[in-house]
Amino acid sequence: MAGHAALERQALCDTLERVGPSAPTLCDPWSTAELAAHLVIRDSRPDLALGMAVPPLAGRLERGMEEYATKPWGQLVHLVRTGPPAWSPTRMPFVDEVANLTEFFIHHEDILRGEGQVGPQREISAELESALWRQLTKVAKLLTRRLPTGIVLVAPGHGRAAVKSPTGVGTAVLTGAPGELVMALFGRMRVAAVEVSSPAEAVSALREALSG
């Protein structure tokens, strides 16, 4: 049985095929072609992907992105759909789930909400929401370490997690479905259907920090 990451990869590719190569994404200024190129490089070209973290290699990454983004659209989507080469560790289902589920969920939503739509633009299964909640609670402390407020996450039906201690401006309580909390903590607060309750100063500081 396919894992959630594998299913999300296929769902994302179905959406790519539907919207075409020139649709907007939340990864501005990337269109869907650039986003698909990014996913292929992340999957299969570690030599180019190094440019994401090593500034001297950024030019090489940029040229590689342009090369992939200009491939025939059907060919590019096929590369995303078929995934990494046989030698990649992410071919193993467990590694794929850990490395790719949140990545593919977010980038799928980047396409679906590419014009700034707020909240889910598709039906998200309870099983996927549960898987996203499990992953989010494992990385939330790392994601929130530089935020200006304390953070408590509340996902009705899934749980509550205090992930960052209070700061001078107080603690912000973020309430929403797991997928919406994922979008918020990964810099997409402006399109996330998340309720924030806390002192006004904390709300303002948090929204500014998560508006990337």
Side-chain angles (χ1 to χ4, degrees):
M1 182 176 178
H4 295 292
L7 292 173
E8 192 64 10
R9 178 190 292 274
Q10 298 308 314
L12 183 151
C13 288
D14 291 345
T15 296
L16 287 173
E17 289 180 341
R18 177 173 58 83
V19 302
S22 302
T25 77
L26 295 179
C27 300
D28 186 63
W30 288 356
S31 68
T32 40
E34 282 88 18
L35 180 52
H38 160 75
L39 293 173
V40 173
I41 288 171
R42 184 177 176 275
D43 267 341
S44 308
R45 294 294 304 272
D47 58 318
L48 296 178
L50 278 172
M52 300 177 197
V54 182
L57 300 179
R60 190 163 180 264
L61 170 61
E62 186 176 344
R63 291 189 294 274
M65 283 273 295
E66 183 178 356
E67 179 182 345
Y68 277 105
T70 54
K71 286 183 179 293
W73 184 235
Q75 180 182 348
L76 182 56
V77 175
H78 178 74
L79 289 172
V80 179
R81 190 182 291 280
T82 53
W87 49 260
S88 173
T90 55
R91 276 291 180 186
M92 295 184 285
F94 172 76
V95 179
D96 183 36
E97 200 76 357
V98 171
N100 288 329
L101 172 57
T102 299
E103 176 85 4
F104 274 91
F105 174 81
I106 290 171
H107 285 321
H108 193 180
E109 295 300 316
D110 284 340
I111 299 165
L112 293 171
R113 309 185 200 195
E115 295 181 339
Q117 300 93 323
V118 177
Q121 303 299 303
R122 57 173 168 150
E123 184 175 346
I124 300 172
S125 71
E127 293 79 9
L128 177 55
E129 293 281 23
S130 293
L132 290 168
W133 176 248
R134 289 193 297 271
Q135 290 206 349
L136 181 61
T137 53
K138 291 176 181 177
V139 300
K141 288 185 178 180
L142 180 64
L143 292 173
T144 59
R145 70 193 186 283
R146 295 181 180 175
L147 293 181
T149 69
I151 299 291
V152 174
L153 304 178
V154 179
H158 298 274
R160 177 186 179 95
V163 298
K164 187 173 187 289
S165 300
T167 69
V169 294
T171 293
V173 179
L174 280 67
T175 302
E180 298 306 298
L181 294 172
V182 166
M183 294 295 286
L185 291 192
F186 279 86
R188 291 145 171 92
M189 185 73 164
R190 68 184 179 88
V191 298
V194 170
E195 178 183 337
V196 183
S197 56
S198 64
E201 184 181 0
V203 172
S204 177
L206 180 67
R207 288 193 178 278
E208 181 177 354
L210 291 176
S211 64

